[in-house]
Amino acid sequence: MTSKTAAGILVAISLMAFASCETTNKVTNGMQKAADKITEKGQAISDKNRVKIDKSREAIAKSKEEITPEQEYYIGREVAAKILSSNKLYQNAKATSYVNEICTAITSSSDMPDIFNGYHVGILDSKEINAISTPGGHIFVTRGLLECASSEDEVAAVMAHEIGHIQLKHALKSIKTSRLNDAALTTIAAAGSIVTGSAYQDGVGSTVDELMTTLSTTGYSKTQEFEADAKAAHLLADAGYNPQALRTMLEVLKEKEKTETGGMMTTHPSASSRLFQARGHIRNAAYGTSNYNEDKRKARFEAIKGAL
């Protein structure tokens, strides 16, 4: 195999993570053909290297597998368990029931009221400002974030954002991206076994660490966070909550960014950018004030917040 051909294969492989599954299949098939050509020329491919090529194919096949609702739930449950291994649940039955009732009000009015094992909300006993959701329908909000809210509608805005992540299946998309990244790296490893010479060393060997960082998925992307906000505005309106609460909650977070670190401040886009992206969705969310009982919600919220 010429150095030019080898370099071409490696460039194609490095682009795999940004391409479709069809493209990754073509790259792997190309690797197999390259291996066959080497064999035809009398350059033997070891059984070990052929196993690596087969593993590459298996990794790509896995990246295309659909995740069932049951698998989604158990993945989410494992994530939830890990969250709780380093965070304590706030032991307040009334507050926990309250946030679950808000979640039910939102989800029951949505286009995805039922998931495999339902939606479940827990309060983390932390002053950090944060909220987390898993693909299985588990939602965690911190005491610190609840204390930032000044109304039930603002609590609902937090819930709606996390429900948005679940209903838009952002976690599943991250899993699929991760699987495709694994397939890409497995294929690169296989390529290193059949492509020899300086083309491999210069083309892949010196950039593996960078690829590992670039291709790995760490939480939701900015685009997904903006999508969850857009979804939240409409979820709020459909449930009879005021979608403007999303704006006021983001304004609170914008102020908190000046003094707080960690939690949402590091895992989410800036509140200013979220406000900018969500403004049109908030304005256009169909909202009927006839279902809005401000006095009742205010009394209910104040009773719970006073106990936090």
Side-chain angles (χ1 to χ4, degrees), residues 6-8 10-11 13-14 188 195 197-208 211:
L10 290 166
V11 168
I13 292 168
S14 68
I188 288 171
V195 179
S198 61
Y200 171 70
Q201 295 299 326
D202 296 337
V204 171
S206 63
T207 60
V208 167
L211 278 171

Short mmCIF file of all heavy atoms in Angstrom, two decimals, residues 6-8 10-11 13-14 188 195 197-208 211:
data_model
loop_
_atom_site.label_atom_id
_atom_site.label_comp_id
_atom_site.label_asym_id
_atom_site.label_seq_id
_atom_site.Cartn_x
_atom_site.Cartn_y
_atom_site.Cartn_z
N ALA A 6 -2.53 5.08 2.19
CA ALA A 6 -2.67 4.94 3.64
C ALA A 6 -3.17 6.22 4.27
O ALA A 6 -4.07 6.21 5.12
CB ALA A 6 -1.32 4.55 4.25
N ALA A 7 -2.59 7.33 3.86
CA ALA A 7 -3.01 8.62 4.43
C ALA A 7 -4.47 8.90 4.11
O ALA A 7 -5.21 9.42 4.95
CB ALA A 7 -2.12 9.74 3.87
N GLY A 8 -4.90 8.53 2.90
CA GLY A 8 -6.30 8.75 2.51
C GLY A 8 -7.25 7.97 3.38
O GLY A 8 -8.29 8.47 3.78
N LEU A 10 -6.70 6.98 6.44
CA LEU A 10 -6.70 7.55 7.78
C LEU A 10 -7.49 8.83 7.88
O LEU A 10 -8.16 9.09 8.87
CB LEU A 10 -5.25 7.79 8.23
CG LEU A 10 -4.48 6.49 8.49
CD1 LEU A 10 -3.00 6.76 8.59
CD2 LEU A 10 -4.99 5.83 9.75
N VAL A 11 -7.46 9.65 6.84
CA VAL A 11 -8.27 10.87 6.84
C VAL A 11 -9.75 10.50 6.87
O VAL A 11 -10.55 11.09 7.60
CB VAL A 11 -7.97 11.74 5.60
CG1 VAL A 11 -9.00 12.84 5.45
CG2 VAL A 11 -6.58 12.35 5.72
N ILE A 13 -11.08 7.80 8.06
CA ILE A 13 -11.41 7.26 9.37
C ILE A 13 -11.60 8.39 10.38
O ILE A 13 -12.52 8.37 11.18
CB ILE A 13 -10.31 6.30 9.86
CG1 ILE A 13 -10.30 5.04 8.98
CG2 ILE A 13 -10.51 5.91 11.32
CD1 ILE A 13 -9.10 4.17 9.18
N SER A 14 -10.72 9.39 10.34
CA SER A 14 -10.82 10.48 11.31
C SER A 14 -12.10 11.27 11.15
O SER A 14 -12.55 11.93 12.08
CB SER A 14 -9.61 11.41 11.16
OG SER A 14 -9.66 12.11 9.93
N ILE A 188 -9.99 3.13 14.07
CA ILE A 188 -8.66 3.74 13.99
C ILE A 188 -7.61 2.76 14.52
O ILE A 188 -6.53 2.62 13.95
CB ILE A 188 -8.62 5.06 14.79
CG1 ILE A 188 -9.42 6.12 14.04
CG2 ILE A 188 -7.20 5.53 15.02
CD1 ILE A 188 -9.63 7.39 14.84
N VAL A 195 -2.05 -0.38 8.43
CA VAL A 195 -1.35 0.68 7.72
C VAL A 195 -0.02 0.90 8.38
O VAL A 195 0.05 1.14 9.58
CB VAL A 195 -2.17 2.00 7.75
CG1 VAL A 195 -1.43 3.10 7.03
CG2 VAL A 195 -3.53 1.78 7.14
N GLY A 197 4.21 2.45 8.36
CA GLY A 197 5.04 3.55 7.88
C GLY A 197 4.69 4.88 8.51
O GLY A 197 3.85 4.99 9.38
N SER A 198 5.35 5.94 8.03
CA SER A 198 5.21 7.27 8.63
C SER A 198 3.82 7.84 8.44
O SER A 198 3.40 8.70 9.20
CB SER A 198 6.24 8.22 8.03
OG SER A 198 6.04 8.35 6.63
N ALA A 199 3.07 7.40 7.42
CA ALA A 199 1.72 7.93 7.20
C ALA A 199 0.85 7.68 8.42
O ALA A 199 0.05 8.51 8.80
CB ALA A 199 1.10 7.29 5.96
N TYR A 200 1.01 6.49 9.03
CA TYR A 200 0.24 6.20 10.24
C TYR A 200 0.72 7.05 11.41
O TYR A 200 -0.08 7.67 12.11
CB TYR A 200 0.33 4.73 10.60
CG TYR A 200 -0.29 4.44 11.95
CD1 TYR A 200 -1.67 4.52 12.13
CD2 TYR A 200 0.51 4.14 13.05
CE1 TYR A 200 -2.25 4.31 13.37
CE2 TYR A 200 -0.07 3.92 14.29
CZ TYR A 200 -1.45 4.00 14.44
OH TYR A 200 -2.00 3.80 15.68
N GLN A 201 2.01 7.10 11.62
CA GLN A 201 2.56 7.82 12.75
C GLN A 201 2.18 9.29 12.72
O GLN A 201 1.79 9.86 13.72
CB GLN A 201 4.10 7.68 12.76
CG GLN A 201 4.57 6.25 12.99
CD GLN A 201 4.13 5.70 14.33
OE1 GLN A 201 4.03 6.44 15.30
NE2 GLN A 201 3.83 4.41 14.39
N ASP A 202 2.27 9.90 11.54
CA ASP A 202 1.96 11.32 11.42
C ASP A 202 0.46 11.58 11.34
O ASP A 202 -0.04 12.59 11.82
CB ASP A 202 2.63 11.91 10.17
CG ASP A 202 4.15 11.85 10.26
OD1 ASP A 202 4.65 11.78 11.40
OD2 ASP A 202 4.80 11.86 9.20
N GLY A 203 -0.29 10.65 10.72
CA GLY A 203 -1.71 10.87 10.49
C GLY A 203 -2.60 10.61 11.67
O GLY A 203 -3.60 11.27 11.86
N VAL A 204 -2.26 9.60 12.52
CA VAL A 204 -3.13 9.23 13.62
C VAL A 204 -2.40 9.22 14.96
O VAL A 204 -2.89 9.76 15.95
CB VAL A 204 -3.77 7.85 13.36
CG1 VAL A 204 -4.50 7.37 14.61
CG2 VAL A 204 -4.73 7.92 12.19
N GLY A 205 -1.24 8.62 14.96
CA GLY A 205 -0.53 8.43 16.22
C GLY A 205 -0.37 9.69 17.03
O GLY A 205 -0.51 9.67 18.26
N SER A 206 -0.10 10.82 16.37
CA SER A 206 0.15 12.06 17.10
C SER A 206 -1.13 12.79 17.50
O SER A 206 -1.07 13.78 18.20
CB SER A 206 1.02 12.99 16.24
OG SER A 206 0.31 13.33 15.05
N THR A 207 -2.30 12.30 17.02
CA THR A 207 -3.55 13.03 17.31
C THR A 207 -4.59 12.20 18.06
O THR A 207 -5.72 12.63 18.22
CB THR A 207 -4.20 13.52 16.00
OG1 THR A 207 -4.49 12.39 15.18
CG2 THR A 207 -3.31 14.48 15.26
N VAL A 208 -4.19 11.01 18.53
CA VAL A 208 -5.15 10.15 19.22
C VAL A 208 -5.71 10.83 20.46
O VAL A 208 -6.93 10.79 20.69
CB VAL A 208 -4.50 8.80 19.60
CG1 VAL A 208 -5.38 8.03 20.58
CG2 VAL A 208 -4.29 7.96 18.35
N LEU A 211 -8.24 13.36 19.45
CA LEU A 211 -9.47 12.72 18.99
C LEU A 211 -10.31 12.21 20.16
O LEU A 211 -11.53 12.35 20.17
CB LEU A 211 -9.14 11.55 18.06
CG LEU A 211 -8.83 11.90 16.60
CD1 LEU A 211 -8.30 10.67 15.88
CD2 LEU A 211 -10.06 12.42 15.90
#
